């Protein structure tokens, strides 16, 4: 099973463009990343720039509308993520508990939908999706 561990740092929703973590915090997080890698469960991980450097596209009335960040209505935003492959939700939670997170950080754990989770008609509608993922991973 694949799970995303979504890092939600409180206060990041108002971070100014160019805000970066301190070197000592990155060093601690690297130890966690290395533990995930040594366990053979790390599929991907990245940090995200603050929302003040991002944009949102919404679709009111079916038409795209672009809003530049920051997003005043946002109460929580993502600061980064890990994608891991483990045997259960409980195992994903145990790994998340090992993260050197600070008091202002929360990790949300979400299971990734696999093709076999869907009924046959949805799998048929998504024909080629897994090949698309493989191609995206090799780019």
């Amino acid at each position: 099973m694949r799970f995303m561990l979504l890092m939600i740092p409180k206060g990041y929703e108002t971070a100014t463009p160019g805000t970066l973590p301190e070197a000592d915090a990155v060093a601690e997080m690297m130890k966690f990343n290395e533990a995930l890698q040594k366990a053979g469960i790390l599929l991907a991980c990245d940090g995200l720039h603050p929302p003040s450097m991002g944009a949102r596209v919404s679709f009111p009335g079916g038409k795209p509308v672009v809003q530049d960040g920051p997003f005043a209505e946002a109460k929580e935003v993502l600061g980064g993520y890990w994608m891991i492959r483990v045997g259960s939700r409980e195992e994903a939670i145990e790994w998340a508990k090992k993260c050197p997170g600070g008091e202002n950080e929360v990790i949300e754990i979400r299971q990734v939908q696999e093709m076999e989770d869907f009924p046959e008609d949805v799998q048929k509608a998504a024909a080629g999706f897994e090949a698309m993922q493989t191609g995206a991973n090799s780019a």
Side-chain angles (χ1 to χ4, degrees):
M1 297 176 191
R2 292 181 298 154
F3 287 87
M4 288 199 83
L5 309 180
L6 305 166
M7 175 59 83
I8 303 168
K10 291 187 171 97
Y12 204 48
E13 62 276 4
T14 58
T16 57
T19 299
L20 296 171
E22 299 291 328
D24 58 339
V26 171
E28 284 300 310
M29 201 59 74
M30 281 302 295
K31 292 177 188 173
F32 176 63
N33 296 341
E34 289 166 4
L36 294 168
Q37 186 178 41
K38 285 180 183 172
I41 63 171
L42 181 62
L43 301 174
C45 61
D46 282 298
L48 302 173
H49 283 286
S52 55
M53 297 174 68
R56 287 183 172 179
V57 179
S58 58
F59 301 90
K63 297 189 180 200
V65 174
V66 178
Q67 175 190 8
D68 290 326
F71 313 107
E73 71 282 4
K75 294 179 181 171
E76 295 180 330
V77 298
L78 294 178
Y81 70 91
W82 298 266
M83 175 80 81
I84 62 173
R85 184 182 305 278
V86 293
S88 67
R89 175 180 176 269
E90 291 71 27
E91 189 176 350
I93 292 169
E94 286 305 311
W95 276 104
K97 289 164 64 176
K98 296 176 184 178
C99 177
E103 285 189 44
N104 69 329
E105 295 171 318
V106 172
I107 296 175
E108 182 173 317
I109 301 164
R110 305 276 302 273
Q111 185 174 354
V112 176
Q113 294 175 324
E114 304 293 350
M115 193 55 68
E116 59 268 16
D117 295 336
F118 294 98
E120 189 175 323
D121 63 329
V122 175
Q123 290 184 30
K124 192 173 183 178
F129 181 73
E130 292 173 321
M132 192 180 291
Q133 289 178 304
T134 303
N137 291 337
S138 63

